[in-house]
Amino acid sequence: MRLREETEFRPKPMITVGDRPILWHIMKGYAHHGLRDFIVCLGYRGEVIKQYFLDYRAMSRDFTLDLGKGGAITLHESPAAEEEDFRVTLAETGQRAMTGARIKRIEKYVDTDTFCVTYGDGVSNVDIGRLLAFHREHGRVGTVTGVFPQSRFGELLRDGSRVVEFNEKPLMHDGCINGGFFVFSRRFFDYLEDDDGCVLEGKPLARLAKDGELMVYEHRGFWQCMDTMRDLEMLRSLWTGGAPWKVW
């Protein structure tokens, strides 16, 4: 609802930053670190995401369409074409499913002992290689990336009633928040339920923490979600000025 003017006809991950959907930016970040096999959990207007990937090669190249031969398409080599070596599985996980249910429903497509999970509306320059190494070293079921977002307000450091320091919109230092960019072992699927109401951030992660199986990887670099039009406008402005999440 906070981005309704952008999401009325397309899902949130397809909102563009620059000339690409934010989903593409997220995938490019992972691919930079060698992770190119993706599973996209589809829900609201999932057909828009499907069509984007079905048309991906044609939209980045010149092509000839032969209507006299049943619509045969010949793609032409183009030096300007920017193609990715992504392998993308597009999985229908339900119109009303919450985050935990969506992950449970793609279990059949996960063929590795360790897998990453993140949201479709946030970008970061987190070092995925170090994140994975941290996860493997501690040996627990899950890792969540803890981030320290920039405050929307100025910070006043006081000595009684006297301001001794003023910081305009500083990074939060006293506590980190869930920034996504999770890593899980396959055992995590046992914590999830195939029920629309299963919320990743509810019982599953709470149980994981209670069992001592959830660790936090601190990331003090750039991170930004896209919850509001203000967030979107900031990301678009950053993209034109040199995006801090562009590690590729």
Side-chain angles (χ1 to χ4, degrees):
M1 295 298 291
R2 288 173 290 186
L3 282 164
R4 184 165 183 175
E5 60 194 271
E6 289 282 346
T7 59
E8 187 171 0
F9 301 108
R10 58 181 168 177
K12 196 175 181 185
M14 293 305 292
I15 296 175
T16 56
V17 175
D19 59 352
R20 301 279 189 166
I22 193 169
L23 177 60
W24 177 88
H25 291 263
I26 296 167
M27 294 168 76
K28 285 285 285 186
Y30 276 99
H32 174 75
H33 294 282
L35 282 73
R36 298 181 176 87
D37 196 345
F38 299 96
I39 303 169
V40 183
C41 301
L42 302 177
Y44 171 74
R45 295 199 178 277
E47 70 279 0
V48 177
I49 299 178
K50 283 184 172 180
Q51 198 63 56
Y52 174 75
F53 286 106
L54 284 171
D55 294 341
Y56 191 90
R57 294 189 69 207
M59 295 303 289
S60 64
R61 288 184 173 208
D62 297 342
F63 64 86
T64 298
L65 177 64
D66 194 333
L67 297 178
K69 293 185 178 179
I73 297 175
T74 302
L75 296 175
H76 302 295
E77 293 296 330
S78 172
E82 186 174 345
E83 296 186 355
E84 316 299 342
D85 57 348
F86 299 162
R87 181 176 183 268
V88 187
T89 300
L90 300 158
E92 294 286 354
T93 54
Q95 289 291 313
R96 298 184 179 277
M98 302 302 286
T99 45
R102 296 191 186 281
I103 298 170
K104 181 66 174 176
R105 290 171 185 172
I106 55 89
E107 180 177 1
K108 61 186 177 183
Y109 296 120
V110 178
D111 57 5
T112 56
D113 292 330
T114 301
F115 63 101
C116 298
V117 173
T118 198
Y119 303 106
D121 63 352
V123 289
S124 175
N125 61 358
V126 60
D127 189 322
I128 303 297
R130 290 186 178 182
L131 169 62
L132 284 166
F134 174 82
H135 176 80
R136 289 172 178 135
E137 286 169 6
H138 66 61
R140 306 299 208 285
V141 171
T143 299
V144 57
T145 297
V147 297
F148 302 80
Q150 189 178 61
S151 172
R152 292 180 58 188
F153 308 100
E155 177 186 48
L156 300 178
L157 301 181
R158 302 178 301 159
D159 178 8
S161 298
R162 182 174 67 89
V163 176
V164 296
E165 188 175 336
F166 180 87
N167 295 318
E168 176 64 7
K169 300 180 180 179
L171 290 179
M172 292 172 55
H173 294 290
D174 295 334
C176 59
I177 66 169
N178 166 21
F181 296 93
F182 300 93
V183 185
F184 296 113
S185 78
R186 289 193 61 86
R187 288 185 288 159
F188 184 58
F189 286 116
D190 296 334
Y191 286 80
L192 301 170
E193 299 175 7
D194 187 0
D195 178 276
D196 276 359
C198 179
V199 180
L200 170 66
E201 304 79 7
K203 286 172 56 178
L205 290 184
R207 283 181 54 210
L208 208 60
K210 184 177 180 181
D211 291 348
E213 292 289 342
L214 183 63
M215 302 289 283
V216 61
Y217 175 82
E218 289 192 4
H219 173 65
R220 294 183 179 272
F222 179 83
W223 174 89
Q224 181 61 51
C225 61
M226 187 182 66
D227 281 340
T228 65
M229 285 301 301
R230 178 180 176 275
D231 295 334
L232 174 58
E233 289 165 3
M234 181 181 71
L235 288 173
R236 285 174 171 170
S237 175
L238 286 172
W239 180 251
T240 59
W245 68 88
K246 186 181 179 182
V247 295
W248 59 90

